[in-house]
């Protein structure tokens, strides 16, 4: 086989097949390989005329069809299959060649794989890809890690297929080894909180105000013309307008209320715990999905018939529109908090792993192609660009003012929801985070006292340097310098 393909894709299921077609649509000559050849044949039969494909029946043929430095993008099942494919490719490739894992890998795996492949003289690039199958085909947001050298080769290829936002390709070199997959992971975490916030808003309008799904769909459509303009708000309106073909009921009413998850939200929270960065919005969103799927526990709780309000918010007809507007503001404020927390997590990880991550560029590449694409990411990238958001996105004047303006509405929504029994875990925890952040003094002082009491963990004093311990077991409880 002659080497003619400037890039290759291994794994031609939903994601890999779409990515290969996208590459071919943009002038690349694409080598394609799949474990079972039937999938390769199907791709060529159905889409072979869309561009230049070089189908390979064996991995050896696949590698031989690539021009040097060879670039192979792996899009196979995450975990063990990905490890095996990386090894098989590395055995056939030469120093200087590039292996890209564009699947959803946990970033410590990417760090491990990069180290092992680097030792063999090859480049390994963990690349987050967002946008699902449609994004892979029409233009995803791409978050590659790996070396600067590999980026030189990958840049024109990735820029050709990435989504475009205001003319700019939604791809940038994020940083070394696992940085790309880390940022993709946090993207997914933010997606969890975005979705949960929208779901909480829906719940407040549905059982809280008694609106029908289609009416709520209209509200989301209107919100999409405000600062909340985003892909997730747009598709929410569509889902809520959908009528079930079988029963004639709103589709949302016949869907089982258990939210699934594949693990990236959980990873985001686990990593945040390791870094000691509060990501309360993302954490509560993951837990809310968990609770929704605890069927037996929920059924049992309903059966026990706990006394309490039923979730009707008791808002007078005349005040309904004003309350809907309060929900919109609460959603916006909570969303800003979730993004601020997500970016804090990236900052902490960059410090820990010595990644040089440009947060403004991250916000820019999330403006198109990915699931959390939203108009306000322009504001976020401006805030990082100017340095105003370096410590927290909440400190940038635009967002500080936005939160201050939304604050009264946000409190009304959380208070009313708590009083009348609508769960709002992300609205409420985001507000608590905000209040904790702006408090001059926190009750953590008492916790330090307790810790010193039972474990001699010591404490600091506000009026003197040093470390202190109170002799709690003695009668006069004297303080000593520890
Ligand atoms: P799947 O995750 O369903 O994986 C199927 C592909 O993996 C097939 O090509 C299959 O080959 C191949 N495969 C499975 N096991 C092996 C093995 N042991 N050796 C070689 N090949 C194997 O495909 P998707 O397209 O959904 O996803 C691909 C990757 O992209 C995954 O890592 C996923 O996490 C990630 N991703 C998916 C997104 C999505 O929306 N679906 C979004 C972003 C990332 P065969 O045909 O022979 O069975």
């Amino acid at each position: 086989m002659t080497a003619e393909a400037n890039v290759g894709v291994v794994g031609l299921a939903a994601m890999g097949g779409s990515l290969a077609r996208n590459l071919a649509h943009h002038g690349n000559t694409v080598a394609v390989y799949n474990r079972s050849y039937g999938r390769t044949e199907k791709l060529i039969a159905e889409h072979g005329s869309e561009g230049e494909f070089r189908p390979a029946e064996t991995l050896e043929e696949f590698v031989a069809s690539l021009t040097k430095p060879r670039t192979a993008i792996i899009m196979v099942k995450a975990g063990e299959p990905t490890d095996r494919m990386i090894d098989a490719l590395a055995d056939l490739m030469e120093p200087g060649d590039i292996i890209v894992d564009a699947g959803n890998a946990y970033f410590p795996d990417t760090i491990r794989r990069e180290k092992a492949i680097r030792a063999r003289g090859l480049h390994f690039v963990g690349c987050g890809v967002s946008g699902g199958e449609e994004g892979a085909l029409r233009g995803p947001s791409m978050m590659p890690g790996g070396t600067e050298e590999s980026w030189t080769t990958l840049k024109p290829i990735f820029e050709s297929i990435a989504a475009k936002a205001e003319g700019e390709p939604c791809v940038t070199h994020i940083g070394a080894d696992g940085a790309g997959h880390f940022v993709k992971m946090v993207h997914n975490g933010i997606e969890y909180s975005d979705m949960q916030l929208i779901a909480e808003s829906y719940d407040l309008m549905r059982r809280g105000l008694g609106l029908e799904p289609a009416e709520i769909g209209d509200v989301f459509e209107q919100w999409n013309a405000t600062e909340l303009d985003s892909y997730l708000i747009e598709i929410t309106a569509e889902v809520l307008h959908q009528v079930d073909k079988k029963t004639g009921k709103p589709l949302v009413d016949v869907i089982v209320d258990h939210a699934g998850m594949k693990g990236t939200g959980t990873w985001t929270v686990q990593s945040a715990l390791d870094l000691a960065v509060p990501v309360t919005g993302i954490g509560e969103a993951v837990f809310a999905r968990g609770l929704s799927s605890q069927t037996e526990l929920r059924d049992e709780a309903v059966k026990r018939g706990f006394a309490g309000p039923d979730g009707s918010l008791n808002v007078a007809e005349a005040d309904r529109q004003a309350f809907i507007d309060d929900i919109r503001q609460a959603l916006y404020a909570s969303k800003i908090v979730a993004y601020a927390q997500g970016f804090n997590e990236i900052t902490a990880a960059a410090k820990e792993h010595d990644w040089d991550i440009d947060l403004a560029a991250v916000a820019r590449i999330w403006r198109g192609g990915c699931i959390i694409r939203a108009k306000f990411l322009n504001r976020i990238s401006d805030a990082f660009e100017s340095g105003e958001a370096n410590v927290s996105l909440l400190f940038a004047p635009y967002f500080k003012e936005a939160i201050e303006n939304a604050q009264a509405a946000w409190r009304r929504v959380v208070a009313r929801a708590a009083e009348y029994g609508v769960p709002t875990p992300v609205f409420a925890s985001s507000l608590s985070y905000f209040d904790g952040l702006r408090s001059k003094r926190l009750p953590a002082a008492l916790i330090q006292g307790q810790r010193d009491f039972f474990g001699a963990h010591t404490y600091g004093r506000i009026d003197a340097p040093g470390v202190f311990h109170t002799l709690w077991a003695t009668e006069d409880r004297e303080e000593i310098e520890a």
Side-chain angles (χ1 to χ4, degrees):
M1 183 160 289
T2 43
E4 296 174 321
N6 66 314
V7 61
V9 178
V10 174
L12 304 174
M15 290 297 286
S18 298
L19 206 67
R21 288 173 62 200
N22 187 354
L23 284 160
H25 296 166
H26 290 91
N28 297 286
T29 301
V30 191
V32 284
Y33 169 81
N34 193 72
R35 176 179 62 173
S36 30
Y37 191 55
R39 226 193 260 276
T40 313
E41 288 181 313
K42 189 163 179 279
L43 178 81
I44 299 303
E46 289 174 4
H47 305 289
S49 61
E50 293 174 11
E52 294 293 331
F53 293 100
R54 296 293 179 269
E57 213 166 336
T58 66
L59 203 58
E60 287 78 6
E61 279 174 25
F62 170 81
V63 171
S65 69
L66 293 168
T67 56
K68 292 181 188 177
R70 299 181 186 91
T71 300
I73 302 174
I74 301 179
M75 259 305 195
V76 303
K77 213 173 167 61
E80 173 80 22
T82 298
D83 267 318
R84 270 199 258 141
M85 192 50 76
I86 293 168
D87 279 343
L89 274 170
D91 286 345
L92 297 168
M93 291 171 113
E94 292 171 3
D97 289 349
I98 304 166
I99 299 174
V100 181
D101 171 20
N104 263 338
Y106 189 29
F107 78 98
D109 289 334
T110 306
I111 293 176
R112 166 179 61 78
R113 289 165 177 160
E114 199 274 339
K115 201 171 163 203
I117 295 300
R118 184 160 26 96
R120 300 174 69 169
L122 284 85
H123 297 283
F124 181 78
V125 176
C127 179
V129 176
S130 177
E133 189 180 343
E134 187 66 13
L137 180 64
R138 314 233 174 258
S141 173
M142 303 178 76
M143 292 148 255
T147 58
E148 285 287 348
E149 198 185 337
S150 58
W151 177 235
T152 311
T153 306
L154 295 176
K155 191 171 187 254
I157 302 173
F158 284 5
E159 286 190 347
S160 74
I161 59 166
K164 307 287 178 298
E166 295 172 20
E168 282 178 55
C170 293
V171 57
T172 190
H173 180 226
I174 303 288
D177 53 61
H181 273 141
F182 188 91
V183 166
K184 168 63 173 26
M185 176 190 80
V186 174
H187 162 284
N188 284 27
I190 292 173
E191 177 185 315
Y192 271 61
S193 57
D194 250 0
M195 291 170 73
Q196 176 63 26
L197 284 168
I198 291 172
E200 289 175 20
S201 304
Y202 161 75
D203 205 16
L204 286 163
M205 287 186 267
R206 187 77 208 273
R207 60 172 154 158
L209 301 179
L211 266 61
E212 288 301 314
E215 293 175 299
I216 303 170
D218 292 344
V219 171
F220 279 107
E221 231 167 58
Q222 288 155 18
W223 287 1
N224 207 33
T226 68
E227 67 284 347
L228 288 174
D229 181 343
S230 63
Y231 172 72
L232 281 169
I233 295 278
E234 181 190 324
I235 64 162
T236 299
E238 290 212 27
V239 172
L240 290 173
H241 282 129
Q242 185 69 29
V243 173
D244 177 42
K245 301 255 184 332
K246 197 164 136 200
T247 59
K249 292 181 181 168
L251 180 67
V252 71
D253 282 355
V254 297
I255 295 178
V256 175
D257 61 346
H258 302 163
M261 45 186 167
K262 280 190 173 167
T264 45
T266 306
W267 291 345
T268 311
V269 179
Q270 283 168 340
S271 305
L273 290 172
D274 289 342
L275 294 161
V277 176
V279 291
T280 57
I282 301 169
E284 289 294 348
V286 172
F287 289 135
R289 287 197 193 188
L291 177 63
S292 80
S293 299
Q294 291 203 303
T295 319
E296 277 180 32
L297 188 67
R298 287 178 56 199
D299 286 350
E300 190 55 35
V302 170
K303 230 191 290 166
R304 304 250 164 164
F306 285 100
D310 65 359
S312 167
L313 289 171
N314 213 10
V315 174
E317 182 74 27
D319 301 329
R320 209 157 83 171
Q321 191 49 48
F323 194 76
I324 290 173
D325 201 56
D326 279 357
I327 300 172
R328 178 183 60 76
Q329 295 189 60
L331 171 51
Y332 188 46
S334 305
K335 186 175 159 127
I336 293 170
V337 169
Y339 276 71
Q341 293 178 341
F343 276 102
N344 278 349
E345 183 173 351
I346 297 175
T347 303
K351 204 166 159 204
E352 171 90 8
H353 297 283
D354 208 12
W355 293 328
D356 184 16
I357 301 181
D358 176 348
L359 298 180
V362 169
R364 273 199 303 275
I365 65 163
W366 286 350
R367 289 176 307 163
C370 65
I371 306 296
I372 64 169
R373 59 185 183 261
K375 198 168 136 192
F376 94 141
L377 279 157
N378 268 323
R379 296 285 188 181
I380 296 183
S381 73
D382 289 349
F384 283 114
E385 197 83 69
S386 63
E388 292 167 351
N390 278 356
V391 178
S392 169
L393 184 63
L394 300 175
F395 298 170
Y398 175 84
F399 290 107
K400 180 172 181 283
E401 199 185 321
I403 289 260
E404 283 167 351
N405 289 342
Q407 193 179 163
W410 197 10
R411 293 188 192 285
R412 280 194 294 272
V413 170
V414 170
R416 203 164 190 100
E419 189 176 358
Y420 289 97
V422 180
T424 54
V426 182
F427 278 160
S429 65
S430 305
L431 182 57
S432 283
Y433 173 84
F434 171 66
D435 283 335
L437 192 67
R438 66 191 192 86
S439 297
K440 191 155 182 226
R441 207 158 151 74
L442 288 170
L446 174 59
I447 292 172
Q448 283 300 81
Q450 293 164 332
R451 292 179 72 240
D452 190 60
F453 189 103
F454 66 67
H457 293 301
T458 73
Y459 51 85
R461 291 188 58 95
I462 56 167
D463 54 1
V467 177
F468 299 90
H469 169 55
T470 295
L471 300 171
W472 298 98
T474 63
E475 207 168 319
D476 57 357
R477 297 192 163 173
E478 203 187 324
E479 183 182 75
I480 57 164
E481 226 172 322

